[in-house]
Amino acid sequence: MRKLRWIATGLLLVLAIGAGITALLVSHDAPCGAVDAGPAPANPMTAVVHRCYGSADVLEFASLERPVPGDGEVRVRVMAASVNPLDWHFMRGSPYLMRLMSGIGSPKDIRLGADFAGIVDAVGPGVTRFAVGDAVFGGSTGAFAEYLVIGEDRAIAAMPGNVSFDQAAAVGVAGITALQALRDHGRVGPGQRVLINGASGGVGTFAVQIAKATGAEVTGVQSSRNLEMVRGLGADRVIDYTREDYTDGERRYDLVVDMVGNHSVLANSRVLESDGRLVIVGGPKGDWFAPLKGLVQSRLFGPFVEPEITVVLARLRQEDLVHLAGMMERGELTPVIDRRYTLAELPDAIRYSESGRARGKIIVRIRSEDEAAAARLR
């Protein structure tokens, strides 16, 4: 027995040392270092890059070679982009575990941005879905730039005629996340009682409208300053979280979509019908395990509660963009825009997003308003 205890202790010690070394590696921030200027681009464009992890102060405005579309790809002249929490998570490399994908010490991909809207200005061989001059929107790495290249079968769709570049750029990550959370994981339907915790944020403002379009009865949870805005999006009931804790109420819901993560899985389960669903989209900030709180709790408590629990990591899909474009065209969905920044002001836009006070989406105008308006009229 004594020998077994020594072996077990040794194994635990090895595991602890390994975990400590891994923690040191993934949390290490390499210095930004000097920029290797290299030869001047033959066809330059301005793009925002980050060569190291950190605050918005690490963002740089670089002159890069304009990308050339390959087989099945289109090049988009970006008119507008939007900021998502995803952007500053990649900028900071936080939570640290994501660096196993994005790069240890420094980012593998120095480009930032996902949501875009613009005009197709070049197509590669074999492209059939889009043509030069088409107004498009979607999601692709490197959206904080004057141009980007994306496969025609990826997350890109035609813009509806009644939507501006600013509005289209707001959709991407947030709109698709809301759609997949409600439709695919929440299985929302007519007459169902749906509560959306964080209804005034980027994903939340889309979620309220998508749920209403399905015929659901929607309750939005947000701060007092956003009550009227959420009512205006179609919410049947609104709850001011500064005055009322919805998990203490008597009302029961068929679906709770949690964008905030300020209540435990067990607390959310108490306000759900026995056959209800809890869909977790967001979580608290943190460099280590706080953002994984919902995932961990769903695995720990899921088998012991009646409601179904799902944690959502949205996938950018073309068919979902087409679905959202149809909703916008029919007037069922209108992106909510809080503030607009120029590309030169992107660090301030990122800082505002990190503050957690944005209502709806934050837009980054890559081109001037006049240039975008002229492009839309062509």
Side-chain angles (χ1 to χ4, degrees):
M1 286 297 295
R2 183 175 297 178
K3 187 178 291 186
L4 286 175
R5 283 199 297 270
W6 276 107
I7 292 172
T9 301
L11 287 173
L12 288 173
L13 183 60
V14 169
L15 288 173
I17 293 171
I21 292 172
T22 301
L24 286 173
L25 285 173
V26 298
S27 63
H28 170 65
D29 289 336
C32 283
V35 178
D36 181 11
N43 296 293
M45 70 166 187
T46 299
V48 175
V49 302
H50 67 129
R51 304 175 194 276
C52 56
Y53 294 123
S55 70
D57 294 335
V58 305
L59 299 180
E60 303 173 25
F61 296 88
S63 181
L64 304 181
E65 188 70 41
R66 193 176 303 177
V68 176
D71 290 349
E73 294 181 331
V74 301
R75 184 173 68 198
V76 179
R77 189 164 175 253
V78 183
M79 296 292 166
S82 70
V83 177
N84 294 289
L86 183 71
D87 300 319
W88 49 263
H89 280 301
F90 273 105
M91 179 186 76
R92 290 186 176 273
S94 174
Y96 292 138
L97 290 177
M98 71 181 291
R99 298 186 183 190
L100 298 173
M101 173 185 66
S102 65
I104 302 294
S106 60
K108 296 176 185 176
D109 190 341
I110 64 173
R111 300 280 299 279
L112 272 181
D115 297 344
F116 71 87
I119 299 289
V120 175
D121 88 321
V123 298
V127 170
T128 59
R129 297 184 186 183
F130 301 100
V132 171
D134 286 351
V136 295
F137 73 112
S140 177
T141 301
F144 297 145
E146 292 180 308
Y147 294 88
L148 62 80
V149 162
I150 182 172
E152 69 164 345
D153 60 345
R154 308 296 286 182
I156 178 173
M159 278 175 51
N162 60 337
V163 171
S164 69
F165 287 113
D166 286 4
Q167 290 173 317
V171 176
V173 171
I176 286 178
T177 300
L179 179 64
Q180 292 178 5
L182 286 160
R183 181 196 63 194
D184 303 343
H185 301 282
R187 303 188 300 280
V188 67
Q192 291 187 342
R193 295 182 301 278
V194 178
L195 180 138
I196 298 169
N197 185 25
S200 62
V203 178
T205 52
F206 284 108
V208 170
Q209 296 177 80
I210 293 170
K212 280 301 296 180
T214 66
E217 178 190 298
V218 179
T219 297
V221 181
Q222 60 288 302
S223 66
S224 53
R225 76 184 185 110
N226 296 320
L227 294 177
E228 291 308 313
M229 182 194 75
V230 173
R231 281 196 186 98
L233 294 176
D236 301 282
R237 297 175 64 250
V238 291
I239 295 174
D240 180 353
Y241 71 79
T242 66
R243 299 186 176 187
E244 180 182 350
D245 184 343
Y246 71 86
T247 64
D248 290 335
E250 297 297 322
R251 192 175 182 84
R252 296 293 176 265
Y253 302 92
D254 300 294
L255 172 63
V256 170
V257 182
D258 188 3
M259 320 289 183
V260 184
N262 57 344
H263 293 289
S264 70
V265 163
L266 293 178
N268 274 313
S269 296
R270 286 199 299 269
V271 297
L272 281 164
E273 299 287 0
S274 59
D275 60 347
R277 278 94 53 209
L278 169 61
V279 178
I280 301 171
V281 176
K285 289 183 179 180
D287 289 329
W288 290 103
F289 300 109
L292 303 176
K293 172 185 171 184
L295 179 62
V296 172
Q297 288 190 354
S298 69
R299 296 295 183 266
L300 286 176
F301 302 121
F304 306 104
V305 296
E306 289 185 295
E308 178 183 326
I309 304 171
T310 308
V311 179
V312 174
L313 183 60
R315 294 175 54 202
L316 294 180
R317 299 188 300 216
Q318 187 174 79
E319 56 267 34
D320 289 338
L321 287 172
V322 171
H323 181 94
L324 294 168
M327 292 187 69
M328 289 190 288
E329 192 166 36
R330 294 189 297 270
E332 297 170 345
L333 186 68
T334 301
V336 176
I337 296 174
D338 185 345
R339 296 185 184 182
R340 293 172 172 85
Y341 294 83
T342 66
L343 183 60
E345 297 169 327
L346 179 64
D348 291 331
I350 295 282
R351 292 184 187 102
Y352 182 51
S353 176
E354 285 194 273
S355 76
R357 295 185 57 80
R359 302 191 291 178
K361 291 306 298 290
I362 302 165
I363 298 300
V364 179
R365 284 180 168 164
I366 310 299
R367 315 279 175 175
S368 70
E369 190 173 3
D370 290 342
E371 191 175 359
R376 197 73 171 99
L377 292 173
R378 289 173 191 162

